[in-house]
Amino acid sequence: TPWSHRRVAITAGGDMLAWLHQTIASERDLLSSFLPTKETVLTVLCEVTEGVSRTLKIRVEQIINNTDDCITLLQICNIIQFYLSTIKPFLSEAAPLITLISELNTQCRKQFKRHYALSVSRLSDRNELPGLDLVPTMAFQEAVHLLKIILNTHDVSVVPDVSPLSSMTELLHVVIGPILTLCNMSASQLDPVDNAVYIINLVACLYNVLAMYENTDNKLELLQNKINEELETLTNLQYDHMIKTTKIPPAEMINKDRLSVVASKLDQALLNTELLWLQQCTRLSALRHRNTVWRGACEQFVKVYTTLIQSTCNEGILLKSPDQIAQLLK
């Protein structure tokens, strides 16, 4: 079964490297008892361990190449990286065995990247379209679930000489890109308003997942910038809708008749501010995002209204003050 294969792959790789580590430590102690210097011990150890390199290479490569599950490959990467760090102090940097384990680590990471990208690509191939509620599709939710497993797998790995920040940064560089591509592809057929709302909901979902883990600040900043860009777009679209609903024309085109229409439409809208809302904005998952869009659009609206008031001097028509409008839109 796939599960039993994963366990065998992880156990086999770990057992071989654990045996190597234990044997090298024992051999060093033995050699130290009758060889004159540490340099001599190191030289002999490097030569002795070179003999196992070919066998180790064949067996570990077989495990890596026969594993197509990205989680298992990441676990194998963690094991290889761990034993690379623990065996390295016994040998020189240039030792053939150290070179080999480094190459196996690189090869395993390439396989992980490849199979992770394939996993997300298969989800993308479903071509799921967002529903009317503009929440994440099942394909996106499965991709985020896979991301959580990967981050949890990485979180429990212990590698002595690797910086947690650099390790997480490298991993996020691999895993976030395909999910954002999936996000953009599923939103590509939506109109501008739906597109903005949908992308904000998806990226916010991704942001909330990453926020639970340490050393993710760089990617969180990138995701927040993406959310802010879409919020700005949506704010402008919301403002445009408010202008169209109240029929406010440019100040240079205003006259008494148009001003009467503006006053009437504005009074109607202020009695029920839901008329001023873009319906899609109510589908933003986060209340803070809905508030940001509404607040930004209202600020733009009040500025335009203020310019209108200043340019017309009311033309004898009783209009609410900008402060009154701002208060009613809260």
Side-chain angles (χ1 to χ4, degrees):
T1 63
W3 173 243
S4 62
H5 172 73
R6 291 174 199 166
R7 291 184 63 185
V8 168
I10 295 167
T11 303
D15 286 351
M16 281 187 284
L17 290 166
W19 176 84
L20 259 179
H21 174 246
Q22 188 175 27
T23 302
I24 291 170
S26 299
E27 287 295 313
R28 184 190 64 171
D29 292 342
L30 178 61
L31 291 170
S32 297
S33 66
F34 60 83
L35 290 178
T37 64
K38 290 183 179 179
E39 289 74 16
T40 309
V41 171
L42 187 62
T43 301
V44 173
L45 268 180
C46 289
E47 292 175 356
V48 170
T49 55
E50 184 178 4
V52 301
S53 295
R54 177 174 171 76
T55 303
L56 181 67
K57 174 180 171 66
I58 292 171
R59 292 185 179 179
V60 175
E61 281 186 344
Q62 186 178 27
I63 293 171
I64 293 171
N65 294 332
N66 289 334
T67 303
D68 58 5
D69 175 67
C70 63
I71 303 298
T72 304
L73 284 165
L74 181 59
Q75 290 173 318
I76 295 171
C77 286
N78 291 341
I79 291 170
I80 295 173
Q81 182 68 57
F82 174 77
Y83 282 106
L84 176 62
S85 299
T86 54
I87 292 173
K88 194 180 290 185
F90 295 102
L91 304 170
S92 68
E93 287 282 347
L97 182 61
I98 296 300
T99 301
L100 171 65
I101 298 176
S102 297
E103 290 172 353
L104 291 173
N105 184 42
T106 301
Q107 183 178 341
C108 191
R109 291 193 178 279
K110 285 181 179 178
Q111 282 289 86
F112 161 70
K113 293 175 186 178
R114 175 172 171 268
H115 285 288
Y116 171 76
L118 285 173
S119 296
V120 178
S121 178
R122 281 193 289 269
L123 294 173
S124 180
D125 289 343
R126 293 183 190 176
N127 293 320
E128 284 187 53
L129 295 177
L132 294 176
D133 52 4
L134 299 175
V135 298
T137 60
M138 283 301 299
F140 185 84
Q141 291 179 49
E142 288 180 32
V144 170
H145 178 67
L146 178 61
L147 173 65
K148 287 180 181 179
I149 297 174
I150 287 172
L151 293 177
N152 288 334
T153 300
H154 177 271
D155 228 26
V156 298
S157 65
V158 181
V159 181
D161 63 349
V162 175
S163 160
L165 176 58
S166 63
S167 178
M168 178 62 87
T169 300
E170 180 186 351
L171 179 65
L172 292 178
H173 180 72
V174 173
V175 297
I176 296 301
I179 296 183
L180 289 178
T181 299
L182 171 61
C183 168
N184 291 329
M185 287 181 64
S186 60
S188 61
Q189 299 182 36
L190 300 176
D191 66 55
V193 180
D194 286 347
N195 184 293
V197 172
Y198 182 65
I199 288 180
I200 290 169
N201 286 343
L202 266 61
V203 177
C205 173
L206 198 53
Y207 183 99
N208 291 336
V209 170
L210 288 191
M212 296 187 293
Y213 298 88
E214 294 182 351
N215 302 309
T216 59
D217 291 350
N218 288 341
K219 283 299 178 184
L220 287 174
E221 183 179 355
L222 181 148
L223 294 178
Q224 187 59 59
N225 289 339
K226 178 67 174 173
I227 291 172
N228 291 343
E229 287 174 12
E230 297 298 335
L231 285 173
E232 184 177 351
T233 298
L234 196 55
T235 297
N236 291 333
L237 292 168
Q238 171 63 62
Y239 161 73
D240 290 342
H241 177 73
M242 295 170 76
I243 292 295
K244 289 176 183 176
T245 302
T246 55
K247 299 188 181 302
I248 292 183
E252 65 271 12
M253 297 177 61
I254 198 69
N255 55 43
K256 189 171 183 178
D257 292 335
R258 284 199 170 194
L259 199 58
S260 298
V261 172
V262 169
S264 174
K265 289 288 183 182
L266 194 54
D267 286 340
Q268 292 176 26
L270 292 173
L271 288 173
N272 181 11
T273 54
E274 289 184 6
L275 296 174
L276 295 175
W277 266 99
L278 271 173
Q279 189 62 36
Q280 295 95 322
C281 287
T282 63
R283 294 169 190 151
L284 285 166
S285 300
L287 177 61
R288 68 181 183 281
H289 292 154
R290 295 198 293 272
N291 290 340
T292 296
V293 170
W294 180 251
R295 187 166 53 248
C298 287
E299 287 174 0
Q300 292 186 51
F301 184 83
V302 170
K303 284 181 182 178
V304 169
Y305 183 80
T306 301
T307 303
L308 180 70
I309 293 292
Q310 292 171 346
S311 65
T312 59
C313 297
N314 287 357
E315 295 285 347
I317 298 173
L318 184 61
L319 293 174
K320 291 180 174 62
S321 70
D323 288 341
Q324 287 176 310
I325 295 295
Q327 191 63 35
L328 290 167
L329 287 174
K330 283 186 176 178

